[in-house]
Amino acid sequence: MAKETINPTEAELSGTTPRRKPKPDVDRIGGRKLKPSTLMMGHGFDPVLSEGSLKPPIFLTSTFVFPNAAAGKRHFEGVTGKRPGGAEGLVYSRFNGPNQEILEDRLGVWEDAEDALAFSSGMSAIATLFLAMVRPGDTIVHSGPLYAATETLIARVLGRFGVHWLDFPAGATREEIDAVMTKANTGRVPLIYLESPANPTNALVDVEAVAAARDAVFGAENPEKPPIAIDNTFLGPLWHKPLKHGADIVVYSLTKYAGGHSDLVAGGVLGTKKHMDVIRAMRNTIGTICDPNTAWMLLRSLETLELRMTRAGENAARVCEFLRSHPKVEKVGYLGFLKDDRQADIYQRHCTGAGSTFSLYLKGGEKEAFAFLDALKIAKLAVSLGGTETLASHPAGMTHLSVPDARKQALAITDNLVRISIGVEDADDLIADFEQALEMV
């Protein structure tokens, strides 16, 4: 978090009390590196700077007072890019603010990222990323399927400005990935964009294979090689850390597990400082930063992130074990069931948990899926995921309705598919709910 101090001479001349210097963050005790769950209780915030408040206050202000004109000029040199590194203090709430900066410090902790940025929604994070990286005539390489709004942004919105795309299926082999990247390398490729697990099929992308293919096709030492960005919303940050497997940028809908209470909308982007500086400059221009109240709510939620995700993951394992043997269920797309195939190999190398969101394929079609959804009593019929409550939805008829039918079929987004996100309720109660709903099918 950027902070300023006024030296005693300036304070005496101006008649003001000098600002106290913040205490340095403690991230180690002896030789032990503290865990993210511990750092969420105070990292990036010093109560001394906020009248001794244990928790950060909500800073509801549009602008910040400069200590002197020279400081104001230096801050704007950073904001406008005349000087690298961004603002060294607080300037204006479209650029930064105390709540947002504390949030960004804590987001970075979860994945050991050099830097992090907070946004007003997951899609504003993704849109800002693309706008910062892409130029007319470029070709984006991405995995498929992606969240429907992301596919719309790439194909329909950026497509209007002469941007092209090539994709490979989420579970593609190294050879398939090589072929797509080689084809794309006839022009400028600004970004390789992944989503793993894919929404809504739960198919995993081999990030290590993508990184190896990128380096082979574009050159491992090439400073202009396209960065790899990945939407890590389904498993991150507890069960998947893509920066350790070759990704450069990680994208989140913080609405989901990070927020985790279905009461806010926000997004995040984490990664190397080099890339974050480029994205931050675009965010400063178009104003997609999250508001201070949302940032404050996220700070509260991050304190219980590990507890909530752990409980939801344990619940999902029990629910899926029940569903997999039910006679009205065709298949359960749960990562914990992967065994002896390429997807299982990716899971074992990349993931530390199966998550709590999965795809459920019922025997039948839309009629059976709707009957099941309408009969649920505990689980709520709503889009989104990663909240404290269990949610169920119909991707083909809801979140992915805008995806062309042929592409939906190719990506296994079928009419009998139901997406379920398990919450933190009692697991036996959830099983009872799913059992009675399946009786209605």
Side-chain angles (χ1 to χ4, degrees):
M1 179 178 174
K3 310 207 174 55
E4 304 173 74
T5 59
I6 303 175
N7 65 50
T9 304
E10 291 172 330
E12 290 167 0
L13 289 173
S14 64
T16 62
T17 302
R19 291 186 67 184
R20 292 159 290 184
K21 291 184 178 181
K23 293 180 181 178
D25 278 318
V26 176
D27 59 5
R28 288 181 179 274
I29 293 180
R32 176 181 176 81
K33 184 177 180 181
L34 300 181
K35 297 293 182 64
S37 56
T38 300
L39 294 174
M40 291 306 102
M41 304 308 166
H43 181 73
F45 173 66
D46 184 355
V48 166
L49 295 179
S50 296
E51 305 296 337
S53 175
L54 175 65
K55 298 294 185 182
I58 304 175
F59 289 84
L60 295 177
T61 183
S62 60
T63 193
F64 299 88
V65 177
F66 303 130
N68 52 57
K73 178 182 178 182
R74 182 159 179 81
H75 294 338
F76 268 91
E77 286 173 345
V79 167
T80 59
K82 281 196 169 185
R83 177 182 47 77
E88 293 183 355
L90 301 170
V91 178
Y92 184 67
S93 291
R94 194 178 88 236
F95 307 141
N96 58 6
N99 299 108
Q100 294 94 326
E101 289 192 345
I102 298 168
L103 171 62
E104 290 166 353
D105 286 346
R106 294 186 189 177
L107 288 175
V109 164
W110 284 100
E111 300 212 34
D112 289 324
E114 291 181 2
D115 203 356
L117 298 170
F119 294 84
S120 57
S121 70
M123 281 310 304
S124 75
I126 294 168
T128 306
L129 165 66
F130 283 132
L131 289 174
M133 299 288 183
V134 174
R135 302 197 302 245
D138 286 351
T139 298
I140 297 169
V141 174
H142 70 82
S143 62
L146 301 176
Y147 176 53
T150 308
E151 292 213 359
T152 298
L153 175 65
I154 294 172
R156 300 188 188 180
V157 179
L158 295 177
R160 290 163 49 198
F161 301 97
V163 176
H164 312 285
W165 58 272
L166 290 171
D167 72 335
F168 53 84
T173 63
R174 169 66 191 277
E175 291 72 22
E176 291 172 315
I177 299 167
D178 276 339
V180 171
M181 290 200 187
T182 300
K183 184 178 179 180
N185 196 28
T186 55
R188 182 175 181 269
V189 177
L191 186 69
I192 298 165
Y193 188 83
L194 314 175
E195 185 175 288
S196 183
N199 184 357
T201 61
N202 241 23
L204 292 169
V205 178
D206 191 338
V207 182
E208 292 173 349
V210 172
R214 185 267 312 267
D215 290 349
V217 173
F218 296 94
E221 304 303 320
N222 177 10
E224 300 300 318
K225 67 182 180 182
I228 297 170
I230 178 170
D231 186 330
N232 194 36
T233 298
F234 269 42
L235 288 181
L238 201 62
W239 299 307
H240 190 209
K241 298 183 185 294
L243 296 179
K244 296 182 183 298
H245 299 282
D248 305 290
I249 300 167
V250 178
V251 177
Y252 281 102
S253 169
L254 299 177
T255 308
K256 312 304 191 291
Y257 292 102
H261 295 79
S262 302
D263 56 6
L264 63 85
V265 175
V269 178
L270 300 72
T272 63
K273 182 160 180 51
K274 176 181 73 172
H275 293 119
M276 294 306 102
D277 283 346
V278 174
I279 301 165
R280 180 185 289 104
M282 179 59 71
R283 187 187 70 174
N284 287 349
T285 300
I286 64 177
T288 48
I289 192 171
C290 77
D291 66 273
N293 185 73
T294 298
W296 181 88
M297 292 176 72
L298 280 162
L299 290 174
R300 180 199 60 184
S301 293
L302 287 177
E303 294 184 2
T304 60
L305 175 63
E306 184 174 302
L307 291 172
R308 289 183 286 102
M309 292 185 75
T310 299
R311 171 62 179 253
E314 292 169 349
N315 280 354
R318 291 191 57 195
V319 169
C320 289
E321 193 61 44
F322 162 75
L323 291 172
R324 74 187 304 188
S325 59
H326 197 282
K328 294 182 180 179
V329 171
E330 180 182 294
K331 183 176 70 171
V332 179
Y334 173 62
L335 297 179
F337 294 160
L338 295 172
K339 186 178 180 181
D340 300 330
D341 61 10
R342 177 165 172 73
Q343 285 285 291
D345 174 60
I346 298 171
Y347 176 70
Q348 290 161 8
R349 286 186 287 112
H350 286 63
C351 308
T352 57
S356 63
T357 301
F358 58 92
S359 53
L360 174 66
Y361 292 87
L362 298 170
K363 292 180 179 177
E366 182 181 277
K367 177 184 175 182
E368 287 73 17
F370 280 15
F372 170 77
L373 290 167
D374 289 344
L376 293 169
K377 298 183 183 301
I378 297 174
K380 303 296 190 295
L381 177 55
V383 297
S384 198
L385 58 104
T388 50
E389 66 287 298
T390 295
L391 300 177
S393 63
H394 187 254
M398 297 175 186
T399 55
H400 291 68
L401 183 64
S402 62
V403 177
D405 289 342
R407 183 161 175 80
K408 278 193 285 193
Q409 288 299 127
L411 297 172
I413 304 173
T414 53
D415 286 338
N416 67 328
L417 167 62
V418 172
R419 190 185 73 182
I420 296 174
S421 170
I422 296 294
V424 299
E425 305 96 338
D426 180 83
D428 289 327
D429 290 346
L430 292 174
I431 290 171
D433 189 25
F434 288 127
E435 185 172 27
Q436 66 83 26
L438 285 166
E439 290 174 1
M440 302 295 105
V441 175

